[in-house]
Amino acid sequence: VGTQSLKYDNQIHIIDFDDENNIINKNVLIHQAGEIWHISASPADKGVLATCYNKTQLLLTSQSSPGPYAANLFTAILKVMTCAAVWRMPKELESGSHESPDDSSSNTQTLELLCHLDNTAHGNMACVIWEPMGDGKKLISLADNHLLLWDLQESSSNAVLSNSAALEGKGQLKFTSGRWSPHHNCTQVATANDTAIRGWDTRSMRQIYYIENAHGQLVRDLDFNPNKQYYLASCGDDCKVKFWDTRNVTEPVKTLEEHSHWVWNVRYNHSHDQLVLSGSSDSRIILSNMVSISSEPFGHLVDDDELSDQEDHHQEEKTKEPLQDSIIATYEEHEDSVYAVEWSSADPWLFASLSYDGRLVINRVPRALKYHILL
């Protein structure tokens, strides 16, 4: 979790959740570069992460005043640039800390800077996304209207720009978010700008699909189904979550309209793709069961050896008809806008959410649903 402060050094809090004892511990790392607007962790190296952060610079311009008593007039301009960098956390934190909260919060350490992603020629960074199935050496950054592909070299101490693409069209087009597909040998990336969604081939950096007016207002976030290679979820300021088949983008395959304000995040469960989380400015998190467009629309059978004859017959009857999509639960622990939701990569039944008031909440999938899915 990263902080946004103009007065003090910004921090990254490494959260360690003890599931057995239901205890949260944290370690605080100083992020001196600036206020953090995006964080992404390397899928290959648990000690490495990338941040997008605001960097302020004071510029002085001078101008001679007219008249017999000429003098130079100085004007101060505060320039804000959103930059990106790759960092490593201290080795002792990579395996998870079990210190008490009081000890860990007082023992602040500093992140080790590995390299900057130089964006001086491309504009403000919106986000950094790692290649999901690789060795942690490839990542993409979105900077204004540029899609930049980077190769990390020399133990991630150097980033080389290997390829790029640019949005073309009328007006000042800017990327808002992106997601790297785990399918197709990791050769596809989806991006959002304004109300549109575009797919890109990372080998040629050419556009492969285009969803015009995917949402009625700004598209905020994207996520790929981890088990169905052509399925993509999106959310936006029109209060909707939509699901797309990228082979036919004329209409969404499903639309959810359960939120009453902007939807900032949508996330598929890493293991059970019928479970979808969405977080919104209406202060709510909604857990949906999108079973009809999941990889197991007729339910999941356990091994035959584990079922009695009666259970086997009952299970066969249940799987004759597809299960219905539904809202599983609505979580209202937050008192302000929910800006981020994420599933645990270690436990498929745990997820975290973060709101504008700085509240981090960790929740579980309801026990009854967990057993229903497993059976």
Side-chain angles (χ1 to χ4, degrees), residues 54-59 76-82 120 124:
N54 276 0
K55 178 181 179 181
T56 56
Q57 185 178 8
L58 189 63
L59 302 177
I77 300 174
L78 187 63
K79 182 181 179 181
V80 179
M81 188 78 176
T82 306
T120 52
N124 290 304

Side-chain angles (χ1 to χ4, degrees), residues 147-188:
L147 178 69
L148 308 173
L149 178 62
W150 302 87
D151 286 330
L152 296 181
Q153 301 175 344
E154 302 170 12
S155 301
S156 301
S157 61
N158 186 35
V160 176
L161 183 63
S162 61
N163 213 336
S164 65
L167 282 175
E168 296 179 356
K170 296 180 180 179
Q172 294 181 336
L173 300 178
K174 290 184 179 181
F175 289 112
T176 54
S177 64
R179 204 72 173 171
W180 202 317
S181 171
H183 310 294
H184 312 288
N185 293 320
C186 297
T187 58
Q188 295 186 12

Side-chain angles (χ1 to χ4, degrees), residues 94-278:
E94 294 183 19
S95 60
S97 169
H98 297 283
E99 301 177 14
S100 69
D102 291 338
D103 292 340
S104 61
S105 60
S106 60
N107 183 25
T108 56
Q109 302 180 67
T110 302
L111 287 164
E112 176 192 354
L113 174 65
L114 296 180
C115 64
H116 289 284
L117 303 180
D118 184 14
N119 61 318
T120 52
H122 302 102
N124 290 304
M125 292 285 194
C127 65
V128 173
I129 45 179
W130 298 79
E131 183 183 26
M133 310 297 286
D135 57 2
K137 299 300 181 184
K138 285 188 176 181
L139 43 80
I140 276 178
S141 64
L142 303 179
D144 281 349
N145 67 327
H146 291 89
L147 178 69
L148 308 173
L149 178 62
W150 302 87
D151 286 330
L152 296 181
Q153 301 175 344
E154 302 170 12
S155 301
S156 301
S157 61
N158 186 35
V160 176
L161 183 63
S162 61
N163 213 336
S164 65
L167 282 175
E168 296 179 356
K170 296 180 180 179
Q172 294 181 336
L173 300 178
K174 290 184 179 181
F175 289 112
T176 54
S177 64
R179 204 72 173 171
W180 202 317
S181 171
H183 310 294
H184 312 288
N185 293 320
C186 297
T187 58
Q188 295 186 12
V189 172
T191 62
N193 68 282
D194 197 24
T195 62
I197 297 172
R198 302 166 193 265
W200 304 82
D201 189 320
T202 58
R203 296 164 296 185
S204 62
M205 299 303 276
R206 291 182 178 178
Q207 191 172 294
I208 52 178
Y209 56 84
Y210 175 49
I211 311 177
E212 187 178 12
N213 296 321
H215 286 262
Q217 299 180 47
L218 183 71
V219 180
R220 291 279 178 185
D221 196 25
L222 306 166
D223 198 22
F224 281 97
N225 186 314
N227 300 328
K228 296 188 74 174
Q229 60 181 342
Y230 296 106
Y231 278 71
L232 172 71
S234 64
C235 63
D237 286 1
D238 58 359
C239 313
K240 298 177 182 179
V241 176
K242 295 186 178 183
F243 299 87
W244 307 90
D245 184 337
T246 58
R247 296 167 296 183
N248 181 10
V249 296
T250 54
E251 293 288 339
V253 292
K254 285 281 182 178
T255 301
L256 295 179
E257 302 184 42
E258 302 297 327
H259 286 288
S260 59
H261 208 265
W262 305 344
V263 187
W264 285 81
N265 261 150
V266 59
R267 287 289 181 270
Y268 276 104
N269 186 285
H270 304 305
S271 301
H272 308 288
D273 59 324
Q274 64 264 53
L275 300 181
V276 179
L277 281 173
S278 56

Side-chain angles (χ1 to χ4, degrees), residues 8-41:
Y8 309 103
D9 280 342
N10 283 279
Q11 303 171 346
I12 287 181
H13 291 225
I14 308 299
I15 306 298
D16 178 49
F17 178 58
D18 182 350
D19 191 22
E20 292 184 1
N21 300 307
N22 216 35
I23 296 174
I24 292 178
N25 298 323
K26 70 175 181 180
N27 283 277
V28 179
L29 302 175
I30 300 299
H31 183 276
Q32 294 178 331
E35 54 180 343
I36 302 163
W37 285 89
H38 186 263
I39 298 180
S40 55

Side-chain angles (χ1 to χ4, degrees), residues 259 277-279 283-287 329-331 334 338 341 351 353:
H259 286 288
L277 281 173
S278 56
S283 307
R284 297 185 302 156
I285 302 143
I286 293 179
L287 175 59
T330 300
Y331 300 87
H334 293 283
V338 179
V341 292
F351 62 91
S353 54

